[in-house]
């Protein structure tokens, strides 16, 4: 526990950097909504109207997504960060993924709020926020671990400042990623069986009057 606290303290600047990068991505994604053309806005509105109608009617098909699909999506993201952390050239890729994750969330929430006002915000709070309040910290921890390991490789292999065997840091890196993967499975369970029920509760508020 003491070593974990010390590691967290040592990595605090990295956590701050990754968090700021993610928040910049959220802001950028929200601003992207204003760059949509009228045709793109109409296409998105049509898709969302169909999505909300399907939710309201309780239809099967693409929604709710299966546990396997949701877990696979999150685990692929986690795995990509882990793989990028194994190489020197993967370091920028980790930062790009964190920024892109922020863009996706910012765009989704920004569009819902811009299109549906407070009802869109309510839908975002039940469909986007719950799992991402857990997923984002997990991805941030994995990102910081990946960046730390990548920097360790740079220092020990490229700069020739050998400070010991790579075995222990690598084992810690794998161990943390496995724990985070288990957490992702738990979050995916919530997203599979709880989130759709909350979405179905809010969906009727966003439907056009003619669809009710």
């Amino acid at each position: 526990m003491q070593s974990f606290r010390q590691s967290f303290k040592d990595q605090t600047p990295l956590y701050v950097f990754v968090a700021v990068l993610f928040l910049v991505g959220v802001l950028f994604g929200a601003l992207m909504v204003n760059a949509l053309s009228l045709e793109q806005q109409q296409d998105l509105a049509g898709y969302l109207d169909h999505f909300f109608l399907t939710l309201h009617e309780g239809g099967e098909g693409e929604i709710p997504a299966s546990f396997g699909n949701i877990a696979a999506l999150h685990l692929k993201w986690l795995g990509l960060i882990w793989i990028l952390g194994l190489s020197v050239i993967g370091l920028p890729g980790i930062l790009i993924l964190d920024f892109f994750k922020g863009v996706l969330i910012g765009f989704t929430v920004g569009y819902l709020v811009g299109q549906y006002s407070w009802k869109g915000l309510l839908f975002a709070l039940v469909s986007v926020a719950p799992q991402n309040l857990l997923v984002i910290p997990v991805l941030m921890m994995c990102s910081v671990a990946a960046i730390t390991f990548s920097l360790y490789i740079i220092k020990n292999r490229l700069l020739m400042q050998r400070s010991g065997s790579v075995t222990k840091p690598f084992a810690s890196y794998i161990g943390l990623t496995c724990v985070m993967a288990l957490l992702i499975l738990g979050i995916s369970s919530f997203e599979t069986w709880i989130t759709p029920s909350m979405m179905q509760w809010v969906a009727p508020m966003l439907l056009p009057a003619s669809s009710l």
Side-chain angles (χ1 to χ4, degrees), residues 9-208:
K9 184 177 179 180
D10 294 340
Q11 295 171 348
T12 297
L14 280 178
Y15 278 104
V16 172
F17 178 74
V18 171
V20 170
L21 185 66
F22 170 77
L23 290 175
V24 170
V26 171
L27 179 61
F28 184 79
L31 292 175
M32 280 180 61
V33 175
N34 297 324
L36 292 174
S37 66
L38 180 60
E39 183 179 356
Q40 290 171 327
Q41 292 180 23
Q42 291 174 340
D43 289 342
L44 273 175
Y47 170 79
L48 284 175
D49 286 344
H50 173 71
F51 179 78
F52 295 142
L53 183 61
T54 306
L55 269 178
H56 176 57
E57 294 176 347
E60 298 296 329
E62 65 204 295
I63 50 175
S66 70
F67 170 78
N69 290 338
I70 292 174
L73 179 63
H74 292 313
L75 289 175
K76 284 177 183 177
W77 202 282
L78 193 70
L80 187 54
I81 290 174
W82 185 80
I83 291 172
L84 290 172
L86 296 176
S87 63
V88 175
I89 59 174
L91 183 57
I94 299 169
L95 303 179
I96 291 172
L97 282 177
D98 291 329
F99 177 79
F100 186 59
K101 186 70 173 179
V103 170
L104 290 176
I105 294 175
F107 180 84
T108 302
V109 176
Y111 182 80
L112 285 170
V113 173
Q115 186 75 16
Y116 300 100
S117 187
W118 68 269
K119 296 178 181 179
L121 178 60
L122 179 60
F123 188 79
L125 288 175
V126 302
S127 63
V128 180
Q131 59 269 18
N132 278 298
L133 286 175
L134 301 173
V135 169
I136 297 306
V138 167
L139 293 181
M140 285 181 61
M141 290 186 67
C142 290
S143 296
V144 169
I147 293 170
T148 301
F149 188 73
S150 183
L151 291 174
Y152 182 86
I153 294 176
I154 292 174
K155 184 175 70 173
N156 283 265
R157 295 294 181 262
L158 296 186
L159 302 181
M160 305 304 289
Q161 299 176 7
R162 299 187 180 277
S163 57
S165 172
V166 75
T167 304
K168 186 176 179 180
F170 183 61
S172 299
Y173 184 38
I174 292 178
L176 175 67
T177 304
C178 289
V179 171
M180 294 300 105
L182 291 176
L183 288 175
I184 284 293
L185 293 178
I187 295 167
S188 299
S189 299
F190 177 88
E191 190 174 350
T192 302
W193 290 292
I194 305 300
T195 300
S197 297
M198 296 190 295
M199 291 166 62
Q200 286 179 331
W201 171 64
V202 178
M205 302 180 189
L206 288 86
L207 284 172

